Structure formats: structure tokens, C-alpha cells
Amino acid sequence: MRIYDIIKKKRDGYELTTEEINFFISGYVSGEITDYQASALLMAIYFKGMTLTETTALTLAVKNSGDTLDFKGVKGIRADKHSTGGVGDKTSLCVMPIVASLGLKVAKMSGRGLGHTGGTVDKLESIPNFKVDLKASDFENIVNEVGVAIIGQTNDIAPADKKLYALRDVTATVDSIPLIASSIMGKKLAVADDVIVLDVKTGSGSFMKSVSESENLAKVMVGIGKNAGKKICALITNMDAPLGNSIGNSLEVIEAVNLLKGSYQSDFYEIVTELATEILTLSGLYSYNQAKSEVKRVIDDGTALNTFKNMVKAQGGDVSVVDDVNNFKKAKYSIEVVSESEGYIYSVDTEKYGLSALTLGAGRNKITDVIDYSAGIILCKKTGNYVHKGDVIATLYTNNKNALKSAKQILLSATKISTEKPQINNIIIKKVY
Ligand code: URA
């Protein structure tokens, strides 16, 4: 077999066989296939696409390029959720303790944030002393005892994806459905879960800007999951505005803890409760209606908050910040961003809001950048709100005084104010089973 022939076959629009896809992935990971050959194949895939059979084969090749974790020591039904990436997306911090409070087991591996999107692991690390690199046996023990533990993804999971993603990033081949789907699902399937619910974001803060593209991505990922024997579904959710009212690591943990204490923004609550309900329903332990009311109950009676606290304690974190969120270290500098005109907030460029938070220190441009956990944005007004000139739209927080001016400019330029009232879209747009 020659990589030249595989590139040519895909370039001409033909379906690759599983053997050809495996040859590509193993050759690329071992270094026998060069970056320029891999780039050519990625670009051919970008233009010609892949069938579900090819995408499933690519996913399995990515998964099998590294370690797989079976978590045999975890007793019970194992569940996970995955978001395709958004701004202010702290849903895992609530969803996982909720489903763990209702009998499921969550042994979750999460990623770090890069660019305008945040990562669950960084958010958790904003809790003083919280450990995300547990020994496998400690991880399993916590999952068995508390119901949930969340750790960072190790380098040994899906190394092919790491190499391919870095190449896609510099060759304009990130936003291809088979490449995104195989990248996400290759990592998901490396961890043996029974139930997976995907949160596929759509809109200005996500990879997929239109609902139809997001729906296609969701269908492919759900198809791959089903081919791999998982109980799986996807929610397509709106990322035309940041989720909830906070962007930034400790600010988002505070918002998540507040939800578990019964105080929340409606968009955030709706996504959290729907994701948890779908996970519980797919598990087979509850009907949809039972799941919905049980999710509400464990939030209202504090059970889910208690599970979250137990996880924080078991992973070495300081629970005093959960008991009282005012114990989180605050950023040294803050400024209020005020509206320069009067009217409705007609739309926001969510990706730019993420970039504003990144400028404040809440995110990374490259994986080695150090995060300022207390940096970020609290939104006082969201799309659809009416503002007068001088009303506060948002407050910016940072320990880097020099960042305030440009972060403010980015946020203002990303906020469109109009005399016309915007139409507000539902937060949950579609479900794909
Ligand atoms: N997240 C991933 O892990 N991979 C992609 O390709 C896109 C988003």
C-alpha cells in the first residue's frame, strides 16, 4: 500500500477502505508518513468528505492509536457528556454531579481550553488544590464512592488525534465534519462509557456556525457512537451568546455552584437539566419524565451540591470556596464596560467575547500559556436586553492591568446594539437520536 495512492483515491472522490485508513493513521503516528502527505490527505477529506463507514473507521483508528481505559473496577452504568466547545460552557460541572446523585457513575476525562473556548479541567483547577491527575486506582475509588471524578486527559489517549489536530490547526482543515467527528469520538470511545450525550454547539461561538452543519455533525457523531455499541444522543444548542452570565474559570465555577444552590440564569439551567435528563433516560434507569423531575429534585434539595462538594474534597480541593464562593481569590483589577448607545442588544459575536476573556488572561493562545484563574467577564446584559447609554453591559476582571483596554474594545466591538428588537432563539434547538 502507498500513501500516494490513498491521497489520489480520496482526491478523486472515492471511498477509502478500513485498511487504507488504518495504514494512514499508523504510518502518520510512526512518522513514516510525512506532514505534507498527511496535509494533502486531510485537504482531500475536507473537500470530498467521508461516508459514515469511513468516518467510523477513522474514529476507531484514532482511538486505537493509544491507550484505552476500560474502568472495569467502576461498578454501575458509566455515563459521560461532551460539548463540541463554547464560551461560558460550564455545564459539565453541574450535569455530572446531578447524574451521579441519581445512580450513574461518571469517570470523566476532560480537556483544557484553547483559543476562545474554555476547558472543564482548567475550571476545576481554579478551585485551590484540586487535583486533575489522579492515579487510576484512586480515580476508580472516588468514582465508586462519590459517583463522579473528573481528571485531565493523559497524553497516551488517542495520540494520533494530538498529531492530526496540530496539523489541521495550521492547514485550515479543522472545520470538516468527518475530521471533527473522528477527533472527538476517537477520544470519547477510548474511555469505556455506556451512555454518552453530546452537546453540539451551533452559532457564533462554535465551530459550526449554522444549525444544518451542526445537525450533520451531530448525526455523524451519534452514528459513530451507535456503530460502537453506545447509548448515545446529541442536543444541538445555541452558542449565539455565551452560556449563562460568566466567562472565565473561577467565575464559571461560581456560577455552577450557584446553580446547584438554586440560583441561576435560565439558559444555563435549561441546558444543564436537559443534558442530565437525556443521560438518565438513555441509561434506562428512568423514564424521561421521571428523570426530569428527579433532576429538579436533586438540585432543589441540595443532593447534587453535596455530590459536587464530595468530589472536590475527594480530589483534594478546598471546599470552603464551594461553601462560600466569596472565598475564591479575586482579580486585582476590574472595570465596567458601559454601553455607548441606546437600544436592544441585537446580537453578540460570541467568539469575540471568548477572545476578550482570553485577553484578560482566562484562556490560552497556545497550550503552554499559563491561565489567570480569576480573570474573566461577568455579563450584566445579554442579547434582547434594552440598554441606555452608560448602562453597564459587563464587568471585566484580570490581574493584568494592561489587558483591560483591549479586552474592553473587543467586547464593545462584538456587541451590536440596535433599535430593532432581536428574535431570541431557543437555547435547545434540536435533538438527534
Ligand atoms: N474538539 C476536538 O476534540 N476535535 C475537533 O476536531 C474539534 C473540537
Side-chain angles (χ1 to χ4, degrees), residues 25 28-29 61-63 65-66 157-165:
I25 291 295
Y28 185 51
V29 171
V62 167
K63 169 195 146 190
S65 69
I157 298 284
D161 179 62
K162 193 156 279 167
K163 212 171 161 190
L164 279 175
Y165 195 90

Side-chain angles (χ1 to χ4, degrees), residues 82-85 161 165 168 174 176 179-181 183-184 187 207:
H82 183 84
S83 154
T84 55
D161 179 62
Y165 195 90
R168 287 166 60 206
V174 168
S176 143
L179 297 179
I180 296 176
S183 161
I184 292 177
K187 287 174 287 202
F207 285 113

Side-chain angles (χ1 to χ4, degrees), residues 330-341:
K330 297 192 178 48
K332 270 198 252 167
Y333 307 102
S334 66
I335 52 164
E336 290 181 335
V337 181
V338 298
S339 176
E340 294 174 341
S341 55

Side-chain angles (χ1 to χ4, degrees), residues 158-225:
D161 179 62
K162 193 156 279 167
K163 212 171 161 190
L164 279 175
Y165 195 90
L167 192 62
R168 287 166 60 206
D169 214 15
V170 293
T171 55
T173 49
V174 168
D175 48 345
S176 143
I177 287 178
L179 297 179
I180 296 176
S182 56
S183 161
I184 292 177
M185 293 304 291
K187 287 174 287 202
K188 283 287 112 184
L189 297 182
V191 180
D193 285 304
D194 305 299
V195 175
I196 302 172
V197 170
L198 303 166
D199 180 1
V200 178
K201 302 287 184 194
T202 192
S204 65
S206 61
F207 285 113
M208 298 283 123
K209 308 288 181 208
S210 74
V211 174
S212 65
E213 281 175 318
S214 304
E215 191 173 357
N216 286 339
L217 175 62
K219 282 182 181 157
V220 172
M221 288 199 290
V222 167
I224 294 169

Side-chain angles (χ1 to χ4, degrees), residues 81-93 110-124 201 205 207 239 246-249 252 350-351 353-355 357-358 362-364 367 371:
K81 76 155 268 277
H82 183 84
S83 154
T84 55
V87 177
D89 184 5
K90 67 288 282 175
T91 51
S92 291
L93 300 178
S110 284
R112 295 190 181 277
L114 193 58
H116 72 282
T117 62
T120 302
V121 163
D122 298 318
K123 296 177 215 257
L124 286 168
K201 302 287 184 194
F207 285 113
M239 208 4 96
S246 60
I247 311 168
N249 298 284
E252 292 188 40
T350 311
E351 184 169 338
Y353 270 49
L355 292 175
L358 186 145
R364 298 184 182 83
I367 202 73
I371 283 193

